[in-house]
Amino acid sequence: MDRYQRVEKPKAEIPIIENEIRITTQGRIRNYITYAATLLLEKGSNEIVLKAMGRAINKTVMIAELIKRRVADLHQITSIGSTDITDMWEPLEEGLLPLEITRHVSMITVTLSKKELDMSSTGYQPPLQADQVKPLNEYEDDGAPEPPPKTRGRGRGGRGRIRAKGDTQ
């Protein structure tokens, strides 16, 4: 594939609904949870929809579970599916033909709602019990900055000063 270059297709301008959150692999979990909690608790939204594709699916499930543990009485419906994505590749060298590669990508949609959802749906989960939910402010720290991550690994140090031959210190 080093002899090909991917052709960027223009994306369709589909507006995102205000209560829809699209999870990506690059996004931080903390930011998604904070935004979802803001929608549910402060902006008065009754429902949020988390959507993801491919590698972001496991992150989406984790985010949904964490939100359910911070906001009380959330009903959940999960639906899974798949879609085909076609990538176009054009050759960088003469004599090669353009390629069209189709990928089959999994996707998930998690709907969290304060109102009761369709209980007969196969992906329905009832709200958690009250003792399993801790309000959002109990998770907040006291404002202290996080300590920087330790960068030292195992071993006897290494990368110290280099000793010359005969240096016995």
Side-chain angles (χ1 to χ4, degrees):
M1 293 303 284
D2 56 332
R3 296 180 183 175
Y4 286 88
Q5 166 181 318
R6 191 165 161 210
V7 178
E8 292 293 326
K9 292 186 287 186
K11 293 189 177 184
E13 290 296 321
I14 302 171
I16 299 175
I17 307 168
E18 183 183 328
N19 66 342
E20 180 179 307
I21 303 172
R22 293 188 180 173
I23 311 293
T24 64
T25 53
Q26 285 88 21
R28 301 189 79 193
I29 292 177
R30 174 189 295 170
N31 296 347
Y32 290 123
I33 293 171
T34 305
Y35 181 65
T38 302
L39 285 175
L40 289 168
L41 299 174
E42 294 174 15
K43 292 195 176 179
S45 184
N46 286 327
E47 133 178 333
I48 60 169
V49 179
L50 306 173
K51 290 187 175 184
M53 299 174 85
R55 293 182 183 169
I57 290 176
N58 57 353
K59 182 185 277 191
T60 305
V61 172
M62 189 183 319
I63 290 169
E65 291 300 318
L66 289 170
I67 292 169
K68 285 171 37 179
R69 299 210 183 291
R70 294 182 182 199
V71 180
D73 298 325
L74 286 180
H75 298 264
Q76 175 180 340
I77 288 187
T78 305
S79 63
I80 56 174
S82 62
T83 187
D84 289 328
I85 298 176
T86 303
D87 294 327
M88 296 292 297
W89 296 80
E90 64 182 20
L92 295 172
E93 299 177 0
E94 293 263 342
L96 297 174
L97 297 173
L99 292 178
E100 188 172 296
I101 299 175
T102 302
R103 298 179 286 144
H104 199 66
V105 182
S106 300
M107 54 191 227
I108 190 169
T109 303
V110 179
T111 304
L112 298 171
S113 175
K114 292 179 182 177
K115 295 181 179 177
E116 194 169 299
L117 297 170
D118 181 15
M119 291 184 175
S120 63
S121 175
T122 55
Y124 176 78
Q125 292 182 25
L128 294 175
Q129 297 172 355
D131 62 335
Q132 293 179 329
V133 177
K134 292 184 181 175
L136 190 61
N137 57 8
E138 287 186 28
Y139 282 94
E140 301 288 327
D141 57 0
D142 56 350
E146 293 181 11
K150 300 206 187 249
T151 57
R152 302 204 53 163
R154 296 181 181 166
R156 295 179 50 206
R159 287 183 26 196
R161 89 181 161 99
I162 300 172
R163 296 184 191 187
K165 246 184 182 175
D167 190 10
T168 57
Q169 262 187 343

